[in-house]
Amino acid sequence: MDIWILAIRIIFLSQTTTGILGNLLLIFDYLVRYHREYTLKPTDLILMHLIAANTLVVLSAGVPQTMAVWGLRQFLNDFACDLLLYIQGFARNVSIGTTCLLSVFQAMTLSPRKSCWNDNKVRASKYIKCSISLFWVFYMVIRFIFLVHNFIKMNSKNMKRSQDFGYCSIVGRDEISDSLYAALVMCPESVFAVLITWSSASMIVILYRHKRRVQYIHNYHGSRRNFPESRATQNILILLCTFLAFYMLSTISRGYIALLYNQSWWLVYTSRLTSLCFPCFVPFVILRHYSFLSLFSMIWLRK
């Protein structure tokens, strides 16, 4: 058991450190780019807000959880606990929303000129800032509703604090909070997941058709190198699989914890680890792969 506990401590520490460094590196990169160009492309703006949301998730969830597994337990009072969970909640929702916005906007950018999306490309670029601001404000308000509801439950004499996060404890969930969570959080997240899958599949189809059209040019010149369309398709698949895999694992583990009364320690730690995987590792996916897709999009628009 001591070996497993040590392994979990090292995993949490490594994951949190990696997530903080990766997100801060990307934030620094975009700040330097903005300082040089005094403007950001719509995709860069979306990515910057995605990274900011992921950084909040890592700092508000990964850091206190790492401190808890290393022995510093229940070090937050009620107010600090509710505030920290509030930040975790809206930052996670904004992260999923901006990921969906990025995927849909990129699909519109790569759509053919004869597509119905072609007339909306310029218009969509103008509403990027408004859409991102709407995500932040909407989920801050939604999570504030949960914060007020938890405060009311905490002052109720019939309620006991039963949900332990290691670094703090909160009031257990009831039917009202479950209904609100399902309607205001789970339903939009499910819609976002469907939109991400649809837009990513659309991009793959567009890139595959474009590859077939220009393939004879590469064959004519005798080039055997990888097509830029193939690299872009691989990058889209990696981003899609990264999001869906971590999102599904986190959602399934959260659902099991919500349904089970006797929660095993490995299930609790697995849920907390999987919920941090996407915000911790997506910066390196973006650094490694997203530049190819951005480059291909720029070449596509110039043509």
Side-chain angles (χ1 to χ4, degrees), residues 6-22 58 62 66 69-70 273 276 280-281 284:
L6 179 61
I8 289 174
R9 289 177 174 177
I10 295 175
I11 291 173
F12 267 107
L13 181 61
S14 303
Q15 185 185 48
T16 303
T17 305
T18 302
I20 292 174
L21 292 178
V58 176
T66 302
V69 297
W70 280 91
L273 282 171
L276 289 171
C280 286
F281 297 128
F284 301 98

mmCIF file of all heavy atoms in Angstrom, residues 6-22 58 62 66 69-70 273 276 280-281 284:
data_model
loop_
_atom_site.group_PDB
_atom_site.id
_atom_site.type_symbol
_atom_site.label_atom_id
_atom_site.label_comp_id
_atom_site.label_asym_id
_atom_site.label_seq_id
_atom_site.Cartn_x
_atom_site.Cartn_y
_atom_site.Cartn_z
ATOM 1 N N LEU A 6 2.947 6.152 -2.658
ATOM 2 C CA LEU A 6 4.089 6.909 -3.177
ATOM 3 C C LEU A 6 3.960 7.119 -4.680
ATOM 4 O O LEU A 6 4.273 8.209 -5.194
ATOM 5 C CB LEU A 6 5.386 6.167 -2.856
ATOM 6 C CG LEU A 6 6.678 6.821 -3.350
ATOM 7 C CD1 LEU A 6 6.848 8.203 -2.727
ATOM 8 C CD2 LEU A 6 7.878 5.930 -3.043
ATOM 9 N N ALA A 7 3.505 6.090 -5.393
ATOM 10 C CA ALA A 7 3.322 6.221 -6.842
ATOM 11 C C ALA A 7 2.281 7.289 -7.171
ATOM 12 O O ALA A 7 2.470 8.099 -8.091
ATOM 13 C CB ALA A 7 2.917 4.880 -7.437
ATOM 14 N N ILE A 8 1.169 7.303 -6.424
ATOM 15 C CA ILE A 8 0.125 8.298 -6.655
ATOM 16 C C ILE A 8 0.653 9.697 -6.366
ATOM 17 O O ILE A 8 0.363 10.656 -7.094
ATOM 18 C CB ILE A 8 -1.104 7.984 -5.787
ATOM 19 C CG1 ILE A 8 -1.809 6.732 -6.315
ATOM 20 C CG2 ILE A 8 -2.075 9.160 -5.772
ATOM 21 C CD1 ILE A 8 -2.945 6.263 -5.448
ATOM 22 N N ARG A 9 1.443 9.831 -5.312
ATOM 23 C CA ARG A 9 2.012 11.146 -4.986
ATOM 24 C C ARG A 9 2.909 11.639 -6.108
ATOM 25 O O ARG A 9 2.845 12.815 -6.505
ATOM 26 C CB ARG A 9 2.804 11.046 -3.688
ATOM 27 C CG ARG A 9 1.942 10.874 -2.438
ATOM 28 C CD ARG A 9 2.801 10.716 -1.199
ATOM 29 N NE ARG A 9 1.990 10.685 0.012
ATOM 30 C CZ ARG A 9 2.483 10.506 1.235
ATOM 31 N NH1 ARG A 9 3.806 10.352 1.396
ATOM 32 N NH2 ARG A 9 1.672 10.492 2.278
ATOM 33 N N ILE A 10 3.752 10.752 -6.639
ATOM 34 C CA ILE A 10 4.662 11.142 -7.721
ATOM 35 C C ILE A 10 3.879 11.483 -8.984
ATOM 36 O O ILE A 10 4.199 12.445 -9.701
ATOM 37 C CB ILE A 10 5.680 10.011 -7.985
ATOM 38 C CG1 ILE A 10 6.591 9.832 -6.762
ATOM 39 C CG2 ILE A 10 6.510 10.317 -9.228
ATOM 40 C CD1 ILE A 10 7.541 8.664 -6.870
ATOM 41 N N ILE A 11 2.828 10.704 -9.276
ATOM 42 C CA ILE A 11 2.016 10.959 -10.473
ATOM 43 C C ILE A 11 1.331 12.318 -10.381
ATOM 44 O O ILE A 11 1.344 13.109 -11.332
ATOM 45 C CB ILE A 11 0.980 9.833 -10.675
ATOM 46 C CG1 ILE A 11 1.681 8.531 -11.064
ATOM 47 C CG2 ILE A 11 -0.036 10.224 -11.751
ATOM 48 C CD1 ILE A 11 0.753 7.330 -11.108
ATOM 49 N N PHE A 12 0.721 12.601 -9.238
ATOM 50 C CA PHE A 12 0.056 13.895 -9.070
ATOM 51 C C PHE A 12 1.053 15.045 -9.178
ATOM 52 O O PHE A 12 0.773 16.068 -9.830
ATOM 53 C CB PHE A 12 -0.654 13.950 -7.720
ATOM 54 C CG PHE A 12 -2.093 13.538 -7.771
ATOM 55 C CD1 PHE A 12 -2.498 12.321 -7.255
ATOM 56 C CD2 PHE A 12 -3.055 14.371 -8.329
ATOM 57 C CE1 PHE A 12 -3.830 11.936 -7.303
ATOM 58 C CE2 PHE A 12 -4.383 13.998 -8.377
ATOM 59 C CZ PHE A 12 -4.776 12.776 -7.862
ATOM 60 N N LEU A 13 2.207 14.907 -8.545
ATOM 61 C CA LEU A 13 3.214 15.959 -8.586
ATOM 62 C C LEU A 13 3.725 16.174 -10.002
ATOM 63 O O LEU A 13 3.856 17.323 -10.463
ATOM 64 C CB LEU A 13 4.364 15.613 -7.645
ATOM 65 C CG LEU A 13 5.498 16.635 -7.546
ATOM 66 C CD1 LEU A 13 4.971 17.971 -7.029
ATOM 67 C CD2 LEU A 13 6.622 16.114 -6.651
ATOM 68 N N SER A 14 4.000 15.082 -10.710
ATOM 69 C CA SER A 14 4.504 15.193 -12.084
ATOM 70 C C SER A 14 3.450 15.794 -13.009
ATOM 71 O O SER A 14 3.755 16.663 -13.844
ATOM 72 C CB SER A 14 4.926 13.817 -12.601
ATOM 73 O OG SER A 14 5.900 13.231 -11.762
ATOM 74 N N GLN A 15 2.207 15.339 -12.861
ATOM 75 C CA GLN A 15 1.135 15.832 -13.716
ATOM 76 C C GLN A 15 0.881 17.324 -13.497
ATOM 77 O O GLN A 15 0.765 18.092 -14.459
ATOM 78 C CB GLN A 15 -0.139 15.036 -13.461
ATOM 79 C CG GLN A 15 -1.293 15.380 -14.393
ATOM 80 C CD GLN A 15 -2.562 14.652 -14.007
ATOM 81 O OE1 GLN A 15 -2.949 14.641 -12.843
ATOM 82 N NE2 GLN A 15 -3.208 14.026 -14.974
ATOM 83 N N THR A 16 0.821 17.731 -12.250
ATOM 84 C CA THR A 16 0.558 19.137 -11.947
ATOM 85 C C THR A 16 1.711 20.028 -12.402
ATOM 86 O O THR A 16 1.483 21.099 -13.001
ATOM 87 C CB THR A 16 0.331 19.313 -10.435
ATOM 88 O OG1 THR A 16 -0.753 18.477 -10.023
ATOM 89 C CG2 THR A 16 0.010 20.753 -10.103
ATOM 90 N N THR A 17 2.935 19.610 -12.139
ATOM 91 C CA THR A 17 4.097 20.395 -12.563
ATOM 92 C C THR A 17 4.150 20.515 -14.078
ATOM 93 O O THR A 17 4.397 21.602 -14.626
ATOM 94 C CB THR A 17 5.396 19.755 -12.037
ATOM 95 O OG1 THR A 17 5.322 19.608 -10.618
ATOM 96 C CG2 THR A 17 6.599 20.614 -12.392
ATOM 97 N N THR A 18 3.899 19.399 -14.768
ATOM 98 C CA THR A 18 3.896 19.413 -16.233
ATOM 99 C C THR A 18 2.808 20.327 -16.777
ATOM 100 O O THR A 18 3.026 21.091 -17.729
ATOM 101 C CB THR A 18 3.695 17.989 -16.772
ATOM 102 O OG1 THR A 18 4.734 17.132 -16.276
ATOM 103 C CG2 THR A 18 3.721 17.974 -18.292
ATOM 104 N N GLY A 19 1.607 20.260 -16.178
ATOM 105 C CA GLY A 19 0.513 21.103 -16.638
ATOM 106 C C GLY A 19 0.781 22.575 -16.445
ATOM 107 O O GLY A 19 0.499 23.402 -17.326
ATOM 108 N N ILE A 20 1.344 22.947 -15.284
ATOM 109 C CA ILE A 20 1.637 24.359 -15.024
ATOM 110 C C ILE A 20 2.692 24.877 -15.996
ATOM 111 O O ILE A 20 2.537 25.942 -16.602
ATOM 112 C CB ILE A 20 2.099 24.544 -13.568
ATOM 113 C CG1 ILE A 20 0.936 24.261 -12.603
ATOM 114 C CG2 ILE A 20 2.635 25.951 -13.347
ATOM 115 C CD1 ILE A 20 1.340 24.282 -11.149
ATOM 116 N N LEU A 21 3.762 24.112 -16.177
ATOM 117 C CA LEU A 21 4.837 24.554 -17.071
ATOM 118 C C LEU A 21 4.367 24.639 -18.516
ATOM 119 O O LEU A 21 4.679 25.601 -19.229
ATOM 120 C CB LEU A 21 6.038 23.599 -16.953
ATOM 121 C CG LEU A 21 6.786 23.612 -15.628
ATOM 122 C CD1 LEU A 21 7.906 22.578 -15.637
ATOM 123 C CD2 LEU A 21 7.356 24.994 -15.337
ATOM 124 N N GLY A 22 3.593 23.641 -18.958
ATOM 125 C CA GLY A 22 3.116 23.643 -20.338
ATOM 126 C C GLY A 22 2.187 24.802 -20.635
ATOM 127 O O GLY A 22 2.333 25.490 -21.660
ATOM 128 N N VAL A 58 -5.762 23.662 -13.545
ATOM 129 C CA VAL A 58 -4.583 23.024 -12.945
ATOM 130 C C VAL A 58 -4.238 23.666 -11.601
ATOM 131 O O VAL A 58 -3.941 22.969 -10.617
ATOM 132 C CB VAL A 58 -3.382 23.117 -13.909
ATOM 133 C CG1 VAL A 58 -2.129 22.543 -13.255
ATOM 134 C CG2 VAL A 58 -3.679 22.359 -15.202
ATOM 135 N N GLY A 62 -5.305 20.837 -9.454
ATOM 136 C CA GLY A 62 -4.090 20.029 -9.372
ATOM 137 C C GLY A 62 -3.204 20.364 -8.191
ATOM 138 O O GLY A 62 -2.707 19.467 -7.492
ATOM 139 N N THR A 66 -2.524 17.819 -5.118
ATOM 140 C CA THR A 66 -1.155 17.345 -4.917
ATOM 141 C C THR A 66 -0.715 17.570 -3.476
ATOM 142 O O THR A 66 -0.075 16.697 -2.859
ATOM 143 C CB THR A 66 -0.205 18.074 -5.889
ATOM 144 O OG1 THR A 66 -0.634 17.850 -7.235
ATOM 145 C CG2 THR A 66 1.220 17.569 -5.719
ATOM 146 N N VAL A 69 -2.450 14.816 -1.296
ATOM 147 C CA VAL A 69 -1.907 13.456 -1.359
ATOM 148 C C VAL A 69 -0.526 13.383 -0.714
ATOM 149 O O VAL A 69 -0.090 12.297 -0.314
ATOM 150 C CB VAL A 69 -1.842 12.946 -2.818
ATOM 151 C CG1 VAL A 69 -3.230 12.860 -3.423
ATOM 152 C CG2 VAL A 69 -0.923 13.804 -3.665
ATOM 153 N N TRP A 70 0.153 14.523 -0.594
ATOM 154 C CA TRP A 70 1.445 14.535 0.079
ATOM 155 C C TRP A 70 1.319 14.779 1.581
ATOM 156 O O TRP A 70 2.335 14.984 2.265
ATOM 157 C CB TRP A 70 2.367 15.576 -0.546
ATOM 158 C CG TRP A 70 3.008 15.087 -1.811
ATOM 159 C CD1 TRP A 70 2.541 15.214 -3.089
ATOM 160 C CD2 TRP A 70 4.244 14.364 -1.914
ATOM 161 N NE1 TRP A 70 3.402 14.625 -3.976
ATOM 162 C CE2 TRP A 70 4.460 14.095 -3.293
ATOM 163 C CE3 TRP A 70 5.194 13.920 -0.986
ATOM 164 C CZ2 TRP A 70 5.576 13.398 -3.745
ATOM 165 C CZ3 TRP A 70 6.300 13.235 -1.443
ATOM 166 C CH2 TRP A 70 6.484 12.978 -2.796
ATOM 167 N N LEU A 273 -7.316 12.230 -11.330
ATOM 168 C CA LEU A 273 -6.224 12.242 -12.293
ATOM 169 C C LEU A 273 -6.732 12.464 -13.711
ATOM 170 O O LEU A 273 -6.170 13.260 -14.470
ATOM 171 C CB LEU A 273 -5.445 10.923 -12.214
ATOM 172 C CG LEU A 273 -4.467 10.765 -11.050
ATOM 173 C CD1 LEU A 273 -3.940 9.344 -10.995
ATOM 174 C CD2 LEU A 273 -3.305 11.749 -11.177
ATOM 175 N N LEU A 276 -7.705 15.964 -14.724
ATOM 176 C CA LEU A 276 -6.587 16.886 -14.938
ATOM 177 C C LEU A 276 -5.783 16.574 -16.193
ATOM 178 O O LEU A 276 -4.905 17.358 -16.563
ATOM 179 C CB LEU A 276 -5.652 16.866 -13.732
ATOM 180 C CG LEU A 276 -6.167 17.513 -12.442
ATOM 181 C CD1 LEU A 276 -5.217 17.206 -11.285
ATOM 182 C CD2 LEU A 276 -6.310 19.018 -12.612
ATOM 183 N N CYS A 280 -3.692 19.443 -18.524
ATOM 184 C CA CYS A 280 -2.251 19.317 -18.297
ATOM 185 C C CYS A 280 -1.481 18.967 -19.562
ATOM 186 O O CYS A 280 -0.353 19.442 -19.764
ATOM 187 C CB CYS A 280 -1.978 18.257 -17.224
ATOM 188 S SG CYS A 280 -2.375 18.771 -15.535
ATOM 189 N N PHE A 281 -2.072 18.135 -20.423
ATOM 190 C CA PHE A 281 -1.321 17.616 -21.560
ATOM 191 C C PHE A 281 -1.670 18.275 -22.892
ATOM 192 O O PHE A 281 -0.912 18.160 -23.855
ATOM 193 C CB PHE A 281 -1.531 16.108 -21.679
ATOM 194 C CG PHE A 281 -1.014 15.352 -20.497
ATOM 195 C CD1 PHE A 281 -1.807 14.441 -19.818
ATOM 196 C CD2 PHE A 281 0.274 15.552 -20.041
ATOM 197 C CE1 PHE A 281 -1.334 13.745 -18.722
ATOM 198 C CE2 PHE A 281 0.766 14.868 -18.943
ATOM 199 C CZ PHE A 281 -0.039 13.960 -18.278
ATOM 200 N N PHE A 284 0.985 20.600 -24.777
ATOM 201 C CA PHE A 284 2.043 19.950 -25.550
ATOM 202 C C PHE A 284 1.508 19.409 -26.867
ATOM 203 O O PHE A 284 2.239 19.364 -27.864
ATOM 204 C CB PHE A 284 2.664 18.835 -24.710
ATOM 205 C CG PHE A 284 3.247 19.326 -23.415
ATOM 206 C CD1 PHE A 284 2.537 19.235 -22.235
ATOM 207 C CD2 PHE A 284 4.506 19.908 -23.383
ATOM 208 C CE1 PHE A 284 3.060 19.694 -21.038
ATOM 209 C CE2 PHE A 284 5.048 20.374 -22.197
ATOM 210 C CZ PHE A 284 4.320 20.270 -21.024
#
